[in-house]
Amino acid sequence: MNVFRLASLAILMAPSLSAIAQKADPPVFNVARATKKMYKAIYQLNSDDDKKIKATLKNIQNALDDPRLKGKIQIELIVHGGGVALYMKDGPYQAELEALLNKGVILAQCENTLRERKIGKQQLWPFVSFVPSANGELIIRQADGWAYIHP
């Protein structure tokens, strides 16, 4: 009886063992292709950490430089919380921001952050746009199909 059970178990497990052996083959990788006419991405920055700010700016530049997306991407950078440091006139990021602006990147600031931190719009670069809330902007953009990136 025990031999019968072992034989039955072996027969039942054979397909599973075969599937496991097949899974050992490495998958074939196919790079993503940009088949749409246009892509849209919204980047979120809510930190005043210089490394985080620079990483976010670099990520945006990398997307703009991706040959698959050349001429096919619209990008918005929404800033709130500590990220407001990026848009402050007394900050070190003017050249990087103007370069992104010249490439069509929308630079947006949350008005809630300005109110909470008692920062006037005149303290920010004049090329910055404003939205009532960063969260609302993220919700709307994502619902409209924009890719969400939070480096």
Side-chain angles (χ1 to χ4, degrees):
M1 189 79 160
N2 284 339
V3 173
F4 178 72
R5 284 186 186 173
L6 286 175
S8 298
L9 184 59
I11 290 169
L12 291 173
M13 288 182 59
S16 298
L17 294 174
S18 174
I20 291 169
Q22 288 176 357
K23 289 182 183 178
D25 292 337
V28 176
F29 175 75
N30 293 312
V31 66
R33 296 184 186 187
T35 58
K36 295 182 180 186
K37 289 183 180 180
M38 194 66 174
Y39 294 84
K40 296 177 181 183
I42 186 162
Y43 287 74
Q44 177 185 9
L45 176 66
N46 60 347
S47 172
D48 62 358
D49 178 5
D50 185 59
K51 288 181 182 179
K52 189 73 151 178
I53 290 171
K54 287 180 179 176
T56 300
L57 297 175
K58 182 65 175 166
N59 276 299
I60 292 170
Q61 189 60 55
N62 287 345
L64 292 168
D65 291 341
D66 188 316
R68 299 168 296 174
L69 297 172
K70 283 281 188 186
K72 296 173 125 184
I73 189 161
Q74 180 179 2
I75 296 175
E76 178 177 338
L77 171 57
I78 182 66
V79 167
H80 64 105
V84 71
L86 174 62
Y87 292 156
M88 298 293 289
K89 285 182 184 176
D90 60 359
Y93 305 106
Q94 181 180 5
E96 293 95 329
L97 292 172
E98 287 178 342
L100 291 176
L101 188 68
N102 289 333
K103 293 176 182 177
V105 176
I106 300 164
L107 304 173
Q109 170 63 51
C110 171
E111 291 177 325
N112 285 338
T113 295
L114 299 182
R115 269 192 308 282
E116 291 166 5
R117 294 174 180 244
K118 299 182 180 11
I119 297 171
K121 290 181 180 179
Q122 71 282 358
Q123 293 175 265
L124 306 182
W125 296 110
F127 47 77
V128 172
S129 299
F130 300 94
V131 299
S133 78
N135 285 307
E137 189 74 358
L138 291 165
I139 291 165
I140 294 166
R141 292 293 194 206
Q142 287 180 79
D144 287 343
W146 290 53
Y148 166 69
I149 298 133
H150 189 227

